[in-house]
Amino acid sequence: NSQLEPETLTGIEGGALFSRGMVSLRVTGFANMLDGAIANFTLGQQGATTLRQRRNSDEIRALGAEVETDLRPHPTSSVNGQVTFTSSRFRGSLATPTLEGNRVPQVPRVQFGAGVTWAAPQMVSVAAQLRGSGNQYDDDQNSPAFELEPYVVVDALVSRPVTRGVQAFFSLENVFDQGYDTGRTPLGSN
């Protein structure tokens, strides 16, 4: 689209870190306003074909908070977790009034993760993490046919120092080969 104009982001973010002994907690809040946001807009659909165009919308507002925690029960081990809550919606849509209040595509309300790490620094480190996401939409109109379902996957990592400043590692993402949607057309793709 040759008529696209630049987006303008205005935002504020703030947080606090609390730490005591082997436990730490970080809380961060944010508020962002994206004026003239560029997004894919649905122009129409014929059968399984959806026609979309990149356009400027009026404004997207994203409000949210992230909470992270870390526990170190022993110098060689740690347990951590994080969750992010986001409300990201089209607002003030004079140019595209049908989008007013819709959720922004591909932005879940909730994302989360948790992990455990054991490390003997001169020998080997072993880590596992669980990560996931709440539902989200793959289109600007928030159509149920384009909803991306929530998912949870598990990852694993083993690393070992080779020489000073160099490590070798072996990583497995999605250890249990859990299928999840990464896009819809309205046919799922994972």
Side-chain angles (χ1 to χ4, degrees):
N1 183 351
S2 61
Q3 298 175 348
L4 289 176
E5 295 186 15
E7 303 171 311
T8 304
L9 175 68
T10 304
I12 187 167
E13 181 175 321
L17 171 65
F18 307 94
S19 184
R20 184 172 199 149
M22 61 184 169
V23 178
S24 67
L25 174 69
R26 181 185 349 248
V27 179
T28 305
F30 59 89
N32 294 311
M33 275 56 85
L34 187 60
D35 289 316
I38 297 171
N40 288 325
F41 289 91
T42 303
L43 301 178
Q45 188 166 347
Q46 288 185 342
T49 302
T50 302
L51 181 60
R52 292 193 177 121
Q53 182 183 40
R54 305 281 286 166
R55 288 187 179 174
N56 291 93
S57 70
D58 293 321
E59 183 179 273
I60 289 177
R61 291 185 192 161
L63 307 172
E66 182 176 272
V67 179
E68 297 176 76
T69 186
D70 189 57
L71 170 66
R72 295 190 165 273
H74 188 270
T76 61
S77 59
S78 67
V79 178
N80 61 64
Q82 68 88 16
V83 62
T84 303
F85 302 98
T86 305
S87 174
S88 187
R89 297 188 176 273
F90 291 98
R91 297 284 185 219
S93 297
L94 300 176
T96 52
T98 58
L99 299 184
E100 179 69 30
N102 282 6
R103 288 171 54 188
V104 174
Q106 300 175 346
V107 179
R109 287 182 180 147
V110 177
Q111 292 177 303
F112 58 89
V116 61
T117 303
W118 178 83
Q122 302 306 318
M123 297 179 61
V124 69
S125 296
V126 179
Q129 76 172 2
L130 174 113
R131 59 186 169 88
S133 172
N135 76 320
Q136 54 194 300
Y137 292 98
D138 199 28
D139 75 324
D140 57 320
Q141 299 185 352
N142 294 177
S143 305
F146 291 97
E147 184 176 357
L148 305 177
E149 297 293 327
Y151 70 89
V152 176
V153 295
V154 175
D155 304 325
L157 171 78
V158 177
S159 65
R160 184 179 192 324
V162 176
T163 62
R164 186 176 182 183
V166 176
Q167 288 208 356
F169 69 91
F170 178 76
S171 173
L172 286 174
E173 291 187 3
N174 196 0
V175 172
F176 301 110
D177 198 24
Q178 175 69 38
Y180 59 94
D181 292 332
T182 57
R184 287 205 169 264
T185 60
L187 306 173
S189 63
N190 56 22

